[in-house]
Amino acid sequence: MLKVGLTGGIGAGKSEVSRLLVGHGAVLIDADRIAREVVEPGTPGLAAVVEEFGAGVLTPDGALDRPALGAVVFADPDRLAALNAIVHPLVRERSAELEKAAGPDSVVVHDVPLLTENGLAPLYDLVVVVDAAPETQLDRLVRLRGMTEADARARMAAQATREQRRAIADLVIDNDGPVGELADRVREVWAELIRRAEAG
């Protein structure tokens, strides 16, 4: 099994890279998706979040109100740390279960947005960073995700810098260009991952 950590700043195109890698045969373990699963209604994770942040972070039907919670944690590093202390252990536990189920010959790609910030690079055989210029990220967040520029800049500022991410990268996928170029670059990276998996 080859364990790959995949990361990149918000708006860099990491989700598209994940999708392309799955198309080549990777087993994807998506930390964001798992982070949503572990705080679904009825879970111990959601109960812990409500205990920490109060019922104001719930929608009327009892689900997590992500925008309300985001407004609290992205403005306050201490509150963000409190949220991470609840969610991250649950995500790690579920990720380990999924990895175990993948099989010994798999290339397992862990899509981890905060891999750099949380010092997780040593957990993987290698780290792939999806990289885009900050102005490209900002444009995508505003134009494609409908964020305000201020919100987009705040989200970007809460993450590691481009230089910090590149410093932990074994492989970098540059994603400032069109989607066609990205597909070609991911194909090259996949070939390298297979080569490394076969080399053991």
Side-chain angles (χ1 to χ4, degrees), residues 29-198:
I29 299 178
D30 182 336
D32 266 354
R33 187 156 59 226
I34 295 169
R36 288 191 290 275
E37 280 176 22
V38 299
V39 290
E40 282 176 354
T43 59
L46 183 59
V49 169
V50 172
E51 187 175 319
E52 176 69 34
F53 293 95
V57 298
L58 292 176
T59 62
D61 62 356
L64 186 61
D65 184 337
R66 294 181 183 283
L69 182 60
V72 174
V73 300
F74 286 113
D76 183 341
D78 291 337
R79 301 309 280 146
L80 182 59
L83 177 63
N84 289 343
I86 295 167
V87 176
H88 288 173
L90 298 171
V91 172
R92 275 196 298 273
E93 189 179 310
R94 180 69 181 131
S95 296
E97 289 170 8
L98 292 170
E99 186 180 276
K100 197 171 176 187
D105 298 326
S106 303
V107 173
V108 179
V109 174
H110 289 263
D111 179 335
V112 185
L114 300 178
L115 189 153
T116 310
E117 292 81 347
N118 293 323
L120 302 178
L123 299 180
Y124 307 104
D125 297 317
L126 75 161
V127 172
V128 177
V129 170
V130 184
D131 183 60
E135 52 272 23
T136 303
Q137 293 175 260
L138 186 63
D139 173 65
R140 289 175 182 157
L141 295 175
V142 173
R143 190 167 46 84
L144 303 178
R145 296 202 200 173
M147 287 187 186
T148 65
E149 186 173 329
D151 190 26
R153 287 186 185 280
R155 296 290 178 102
M156 289 166 63
Q159 295 187 334
T161 65
R162 185 182 193 186
E163 292 71 28
Q164 287 169 327
R165 277 191 294 272
R166 290 183 75 106
I168 64 159
D170 295 290
L171 299 169
V172 175
I173 297 176
D174 290 306
N175 188 25
D176 277 319
V179 172
E181 286 178 14
L182 180 64
D184 291 343
R185 182 72 182 110
V186 171
R187 195 175 303 113
E188 292 167 8
V189 166
W190 178 251
E192 175 65 13
L193 295 180
I194 291 298
R195 190 187 68 72
R196 292 194 188 204
E198 287 171 351

